[in-house]
Amino acid sequence: MSTVVRGLGGMVPSTVLLVEPSPASPIAATGRPTGVLRDELRRIPNGLNAVSIVSCWAQIIGILVGAMWWGHPFGWVIAFILMGRAHAQLAALMHEAAHRLLFRRKAVNDWVGRWLLGYPGLTNVDGYRRVHMAHHRQEFGPDEPDIPLYIGYPITPASLRRKLTRDLTGRTGGKLLRAQLRSWRSPDPRPRRTLYKILGVQAALAATSALAGYPFVYWLLWLLPYLTVWRVINRLRSIAEHGGMMQSPDRRETTHSVVQHLGARSFLVPYWIGWHLAHHCDSGVPMRHLPRFHRELIASGYIAADLEYPSYRALWRQLTTSG
């Protein structure tokens, strides 16, 4: 294993697995695609991405309408869980917009990212973009915004249960929401203006819920899943991306690789974000092309068979082997 730094690196793979890609492949030693492959992978599919956004909102509306139509307690529980998944979908598409990979035209990309994805999901997209680009410039470096999520792994099962309990009971989400609301006192007018827009969109969603005759639906099936179920999904996904890794120029020492199965792709890592090592090898590749990029990384030898976890469950087991 590589040297552990600042409580990091406890999950870094053996250097034996970090072999250079084949010289005949279109993959550079850094894992980045080159030549024609790079050009093909970096094309942004405007139409298909628009379909994804429409599909996301159609699913959200279908869940809400279905719960109200059925009116059964079991239906409300199912809808509550599925709305946590809906927030994961909005966040995944917002992440794509933050990378300006959703639409080729910057103005369209940013408008959709803010008003149809970020603000409904209580996210300041421009602020997220700034900190997220710091994450990509140097994972685990001095400007890494997400160190608290990744540090200290592997941990004990009891420690992970405590973290997930805080997430599921709303303590994590409530803390983060309160911090976001405090931006109204910021001396910089930009975060204040963005907060007002976010609150305006939330007010519109609450008003729509009330006009439909179900005023509690906004609180029960929008805000509460955001504060609870989505936080659990976000932690499980985040630690599966970078938990226990460390600062390194080799992306295989900063980012895990996990075989993608249908269940995880549906609920935990929607819209192709589960191919995360490929995303970090070249963050300019749109989400739809990440599976192909991943296959090229495997074919080149950059991702060895033993480097990839067979499932998220297998990775989480390794993340909780301490103690």
Side-chain angles (χ1 to χ4, degrees):
M1 303 292 285
S2 300
T3 304
V4 177
V5 180
R6 294 165 54 201
L8 302 171
M11 295 286 291
V12 172
S14 167
T15 54
V16 173
L17 301 174
L18 307 183
V19 300
E20 290 199 5
S22 166
S25 77
I27 302 298
T30 58
R32 294 174 69 86
T34 62
V36 174
L37 177 65
R38 180 182 184 276
D39 295 339
E40 292 176 352
L41 290 177
R42 283 190 162 224
R43 289 176 186 154
I44 298 174
N46 283 350
L48 291 174
N49 287 347
V51 169
S52 291
I53 294 165
V54 172
S55 170
C56 178
W57 275 104
Q59 291 176 67
I60 289 171
I61 293 169
I63 293 166
L64 298 176
V65 171
M68 291 185 285
W69 173 79
W70 189 11
H72 192 280
F74 187 58
W76 293 114
V77 172
I78 294 173
F80 181 84
I81 296 170
L82 289 178
M83 287 305 294
R85 169 184 177 267
H87 278 291
Q89 291 178 306
L90 289 172
L93 291 171
M94 181 278 299
H95 167 265
E96 192 76 353
H99 278 277
R100 293 206 166 100
L101 298 174
L102 204 53
F103 295 103
R104 286 189 288 271
R105 288 188 60 185
K106 177 183 173 182
V108 174
N109 180 93
D110 288 355
W111 189 91
V112 171
R114 292 175 186 131
W115 291 99
L116 298 185
L117 303 171
Y119 297 165
L122 292 110
T123 302
N124 179 337
V125 181
D126 299 283
Y128 172 83
R129 178 182 288 127
R130 287 191 292 272
V131 298
H132 190 64
M133 291 307 106
H135 167 66
H136 272 279
R137 279 193 299 273
Q138 191 178 64
E139 298 96 327
F140 302 99
D143 297 323
E144 168 66 79
D146 296 325
I147 283 286
L149 269 174
Y150 312 141
I151 199 167
Y153 285 89
I155 60 175
T156 65
S159 177
L160 182 60
R161 283 195 297 270
R162 288 193 296 270
K163 295 176 190 298
L164 294 177
T165 298
R166 290 197 297 269
D167 297 336
L168 190 58
T169 56
R171 282 180 282 174
T172 303
K175 178 182 177 181
L176 294 172
L177 182 58
R178 287 192 298 272
Q180 183 178 28
L181 292 174
R182 283 196 292 270
S183 64
W184 73 271
R185 297 184 298 188
S186 172
D188 185 344
R190 291 175 298 176
R192 293 202 307 269
R193 287 195 297 264
T194 300
L195 177 62
Y196 300 150
K197 292 172 184 176
I198 291 172
L199 294 178
V201 170
Q202 298 306 308
L205 292 172
T208 301
S209 174
L211 290 171
Y214 295 86
F216 65 89
V217 162
Y218 168 77
W219 307 98
L220 177 66
L221 295 185
W222 192 266
L223 187 60
L224 197 55
Y226 167 80
L227 293 173
T228 56
V229 180
W230 156 233
R231 289 298 158 191
V232 172
I233 293 173
N234 186 57
R235 185 180 299 278
L236 290 174
R237 176 191 54 76
S238 297
I239 63 175
E241 291 172 351
H242 303 287
M245 302 302 259
M246 71 173 199
Q247 183 178 353
S248 171
D250 191 319
R251 295 294 177 260
R252 294 167 294 186
E253 293 186 312
T254 70
T255 309
H256 295 294
S257 183
V258 188
V259 174
Q260 298 295 290
H261 299 290
L262 183 59
R265 288 172 55 192
S266 174
F267 200 87
L268 181 75
V269 284
Y271 299 113
W272 303 277
I273 63 171
W275 282 275
H276 206 65
L277 177 55
H279 173 61
H280 273 267
C281 285
D282 188 343
S283 60
V285 173
M287 58 187 183
R288 271 189 160 78
H289 300 324
L290 291 176
R292 180 188 172 191
F293 184 18
H294 182 82
R295 290 193 297 271
E296 294 285 353
L297 290 170
I298 291 175
S300 73
Y302 183 83
I303 297 179
D306 290 342
L307 187 70
E308 193 164 46
Y309 289 89
S311 67
Y312 283 97
R313 185 174 295 180
L315 175 52
W316 293 327
R317 280 199 296 266
Q318 291 299 311
L319 286 163
T320 54
T321 55
S322 176

